[in-house]
Amino acid sequence: MKHHQRNPRARGGRKRQSARRDPLIGFEAPVTIEQVGARGDGIAHVNAPDGRSVLVYVDCVLPGDEVRVALRSKRGDGYGAEVVAEIARTALFNEPRCSHFKECGGCALQHMDDDQYRDWKRQKAKVAVQRAGLDADEAERLVAPVEVSPAQSRRRAGFSVHVGATGVHVGFHGRFSHTVLNVPDCAVLRPELMAFRAAFVTFLEACPPDHARDIKEVFVTLADNGLDVVVHAAKDPDLDMRQDLAEFADDNDLARLSWKTGDEPDEPVAARRIPVVRFQGVDVAVPPGGFLQATREGEHALVAAVTSALEKAQPRQVADLFCGIGSFTFALALAGKRRSTLAVESDPRAVELLQYAVGQSGSPIQVIKRDLFRQPLTGDELSNLDLVLFDPPRAGALSQAEQLAATGPEWVIAVSCNPATFTRDIRVLRNGGYELEQVVPIDQFLWSSHLEMFALLRRA
């Protein structure tokens, strides 16, 4: 009798059935929009065929709009829905400034009246403060009016690139989509960035298709003396491509053009001049793809808030944590009275460039390289300081906030680009004995749901 060896991967039992289709996908119903949610989408409730009240998220609508929607996908505790017919628009509807508004995923709130938009952003800041443990009256008192950057003021952008059978596409992804949309006009970006985009499209159209298809993204930053461009690609450029890129940089007066293949370090292809920005009269070089505040106007508003806090606190020893290339470092050291300033950053290129600028200017600043996520400043290092400013990435500064809560100085300035982690870090500081003195919401991401937060805290 033969014994057949059993396949160890084989499974017995009934044949697996395909997943059932959600019966609500495709369901249509009229709704009245109730509010705008934290992501900038409208929130409403639909009466499902089985009698349930179902939460739906609808793009490009305002509270009071009456629309007919079709449910398209499950989203969190509800469904993403698409407008299939407009029944009645609220009087507060504002004609969008951009022809790509409904397709492009960059802006969510261009259709909001300006006053309503400012109120919505300030409310977002107030909610963040309340979630940190304050009541509504305290939040109303502490949160200042929103500082909004104007249209066409964004000085950095990452353009997605797709070259295929339908041609060259340089722009942004569609709303909730991986499709790259061409955006020949943009109401948010500086004109210099849009002029570069148009020239880059022409450049790619003239390139051999195989070479053009290797390019996936291009990051552009407007420094004080020109554009800094980093091309992200799947392969290294050949000699012909390098020569073409150098000519492109020359024809378009780019300060610097670099090429980055995968996870490898970026390589300068055309370095015509070093891109620089000026802080408190000091020129600082910008590393390829380096971080700057999104708008000059937003940067100036943040520096003004820092300067005002310095006048109030009158510190002598200060620290700038997650300092980058010094957006706030020179203001801390040089605004008004000169102050001894410790600047801490983990990016080695930013540290090197900041150290050079400090040496050239003779500023009273000590720059050190340190990963504050893994090695935050602790008791002895914090004890000699009068004020600490921290401006972390979107992940926040939990480890450093815990150390500040335990042994931090009298004054702390928190800057954050993420209201959620801002709330968490402020709650940690308040649990350690700090109280909020002031909150300034700063909107550098016009018509999006993003918001920058500045907070001044003092140990009670």
Side-chain angles (χ1 to χ4, degrees), residues 95-322:
E95 194 63 33
R97 283 76 158 176
C98 177
S99 60
H100 312 290
F101 169 58
K102 289 188 177 181
E103 293 80 25
C104 179
C107 296
L109 298 163
Q110 279 192 21
H111 58 311
M112 257 192 179
D113 169 83
D114 289 347
D115 291 337
Q116 185 187 27
Y117 174 75
R118 287 176 179 271
D119 289 344
W120 184 82
K121 286 266 175 152
R122 184 168 184 265
Q123 182 63 31
K124 192 178 180 76
K126 287 165 59 179
V127 168
V129 169
Q130 288 177 251
R131 287 176 176 169
L134 286 82
D135 63 33
D137 290 339
E138 290 175 308
E140 176 64 34
R141 175 179 61 84
L142 287 171
V143 177
V146 183
E147 300 272 358
V148 180
S149 295
Q152 295 186 311
S153 64
R154 284 284 300 274
R155 61 177 171 178
R156 55 183 173 87
F159 293 108
S160 296
V161 179
H162 176 73
V163 179
T166 56
V168 173
H169 299 266
V170 178
F172 304 115
H173 287 115
R175 195 177 299 276
F176 303 112
S177 168
H178 295 293
T179 302
V180 178
L181 299 175
N182 269 321
V183 284
D185 60 301
C186 178
V188 173
L189 298 183
R190 286 284 298 258
E192 295 92 332
L193 272 65
M194 295 308 298
F196 165 83
R197 181 214 157 270
F200 197 62
V201 168
T202 302
F203 172 77
L204 291 178
E205 289 173 341
C207 281
D210 288 345
H211 293 173
R213 277 193 289 268
D214 290 338
I215 297 174
K216 305 304 179 185
E217 291 179 291
V218 56
F219 288 86
V220 189
T221 302
L222 178 61
D224 289 352
N225 61 340
L227 292 175
D228 181 33
V229 177
V230 181
V231 176
H232 287 235
K235 297 179 182 177
D236 292 335
D238 62 12
L239 181 58
D240 289 339
M241 187 63 158
R242 290 175 184 274
Q243 291 176 338
D244 291 342
L245 287 166
E247 290 179 8
F248 173 76
D250 199 46
D251 292 342
N252 292 277
D253 193 27
L254 304 183
R256 178 176 59 202
L257 191 152
S258 306
W259 186 281
K260 182 174 174 61
T261 303
D263 294 329
E264 297 177 8
D266 48 75
E267 175 192 358
V269 175
R272 303 175 66 249
R273 54 187 177 274
I274 298 174
V276 298
V277 289
R278 175 162 286 204
F279 303 129
Q280 297 292 312
V282 179
D283 285 339
V284 184
V286 180
F291 174 81
L292 294 177
Q293 295 295 331
T295 68
R296 286 195 181 98
E297 293 82 357
E299 179 187 287
H300 294 163
L302 284 165
V303 169
V306 169
T307 303
S308 176
L310 293 173
E311 292 174 357
K312 185 173 186 177
Q314 293 294 313
R316 291 176 296 178
Q317 305 280 337
V318 301
D320 183 8
L321 310 184
F322 308 95

